[in-house]
Amino acid sequence: MIIEPKVRGFICTTAHPDGCAQNVRQQIDYVRSQPPISGAKTILNNVLVIGCSTGYGLASRIVAAFGANAATLGVMFEKPASDKRTASTGWYNTAAFEEFATAEKIYAKTINGDAFSNEIKQQVIDIVKHDWANGNTGGIDLIIYSLASPRRTDPMTGETYNSTLKPIGKTYREKTVNVLTGEISEVSIEPATEEDINNTVKVMGGEDWELWIDALLNAKVLNQGCKTVAYSYIGPDLTNAVYRNGTIGKAKEHLEKTAQLLATKLSPIDGQAIISVNKAVVTQAAAAIPVVPLYAAILYRVMKYKNLHEGCIEQMYRLFSDFLYAKNSASYDKNGFIRLDDREMQAEIQAAVATIWPQVTTENINQLTDLVGYRDDFYRLFGFHVKGVDYTADVANIERSIRSIKE
Ligand code: NAD
């Protein structure tokens, strides 16, 4: 079967197994080209990654496994291949990740299911107790919380909530781009209702993160000094109305407040709950946000020109090496957040983006922005446009098994 990208709106409904594997390989190679995570040997044995299969979560898992030789247990929500349908990109990524980890004798197990549910939390606890807590490496040393989901079913009530990407207070009109065609148009988004705001906080706020930590603390599977990290985004004035001051921003505020609560809950075991504010990158979650892809295409252009551009893996390596397991003391912002978006938010970078923004039209988009690079990254998310992969070749087997998952 020849696999081609089939893009519908802001997602691609096909994924290329060999391209996904190559993406994972390249991220591993990047981590292996850097110094090992210092000091990690004694304090970073076992890592739980919730949202482990794509974007920031996958990159975190790769850094833990291949930068620190840590055992990783991942949770994801992905689809295996069926009949003539390819698997989802996160499925192929994870199949490749487990393959590479196992080849290097690095422990890797994955659970495919709804991380918001009580059942999946219990499955994680059972595996940790069986595989880690009874062994000589103890329980969990680090929990990465990297979920991005459009909906969540509350495990207590069974009610399902949908998140939205809406402004608050008034209608938002701004330029946006069709990533595939480069066509610039104006998008107009009606303001959120109170219900939209509450629902988005329910899905993308900190409630589930807290439920995870409560469950893991109650089960006594966290090691002394265990850290947990969740990812946030702030971004520039340009995207404030739809991001930071919008429904998703309210959810991020809730997530950030939850970190304070979790820090208190974790203090008896000398644990830490940390927020890392990451840079805007192309992921499946980010592609869905209006206006952000145009901002990112300009940002890519400016940051590449200044040689400051980073993707998920470079940032996650910095997160581990310069902050979580740094040799020297790391600096946090006034809110206590790690700022991996420091380069994106440099005044000079933002001034350049703001100068370009009003000038961009459909006609000059390729001169003024790096839409080509952004689009390439978008295709790469699904295993397309990856160097070294022959896309004209027949893929004999679209089913790729994940070693630790019995189908
Ligand atoms: P992503 O879409 O690449 O990854 C989402 C992950 O969550 C996947 O592994 C997916 O399988 C998993 N997932 C989704 N729903 C699930 C469920 N119900 N059960 C189990 N797993 C589930 O997203 P991303 O962009 O890497 O986002 C991760 C975090 O980083 C989010 O909190 C996001 O807000 C934050 N962030 C993203 C950006 C960006 O530009 N992409 C910037 C800063 C912060």
Side-chain angles (χ1 to χ4, degrees), residues 223-228 262-274:
N223 282 344
Q224 192 71 18
C226 177
K227 299 177 204 257
T228 183
L262 296 185
T264 309
K265 290 190 178 197
L266 289 167
S267 63
I269 58 161
D270 288 331
Q272 277 179 283
I274 304 161

Side-chain angles (χ1 to χ4, degrees), residues 50-58 75-78 90 111-117 120 145-152 204 230-234 243 248 252 255 276-287 289 292 312 315 344 381:
I50 304 162
C52 67
S53 54
T54 54
Y56 279 118
L58 173 65
V75 180
M76 63 178 194
F77 206 34
E78 302 290 346
I111 296 172
N112 190 35
D114 183 6
F116 298 129
S117 69
I120 294 297
Y145 188 83
S146 187
L147 291 183
S149 174
R151 71 190 60 82
R152 168 173 173 239
M204 288 296 286
Y231 300 139
S232 193
Y233 183 66
I234 295 176
Y243 199 95
I248 182 73
K252 290 299 182 192
L255 184 81
S276 172
V277 182
N278 301 345
K279 166 185 180 276
V281 291
V282 187
T283 64
Q284 292 182 74
I289 310 173
V292 168
C312 291
Q315 287 178 79
E344 168 180 0
L381 288 180

Side-chain angles (χ1 to χ4, degrees), residues 196-215:
D196 288 331
I197 299 170
N198 294 337
N199 289 355
T200 307
V201 170
K202 228 19 206 171
V203 181
M204 288 296 286
E207 192 174 273
D208 179 62
W209 188 21
E210 187 183 353
L211 288 175
W212 268 102
I213 300 303
D214 284 347

Side-chain angles (χ1 to χ4, degrees), residues 5 7 51 82 86 98 101 121 174 192 217 219 225 229 246 255 269-270 277 281 285 294 359 383 385 392 394:
V7 180
S82 61
T86 66
E98 284 206 10
K121 291 180 177 74
E174 205 21 293
L217 273 171
V229 187
L255 184 81
I269 58 161
D270 288 331
V277 182
V281 291
L294 180 57
Q359 301 174 42
H385 291 209
T392 60
D394 191 48

Side-chain angles (χ1 to χ4, degrees), residues 286-308:
I289 310 173
V291 183
V292 168
L294 180 57
Y295 162 73
I298 302 174
L299 182 73
Y300 273 33
R301 164 85 194 251
V302 175
M303 290 187 79
K304 282 181 184 173
Y305 180 74
K306 297 267 181 200
N307 218 4
L308 289 176

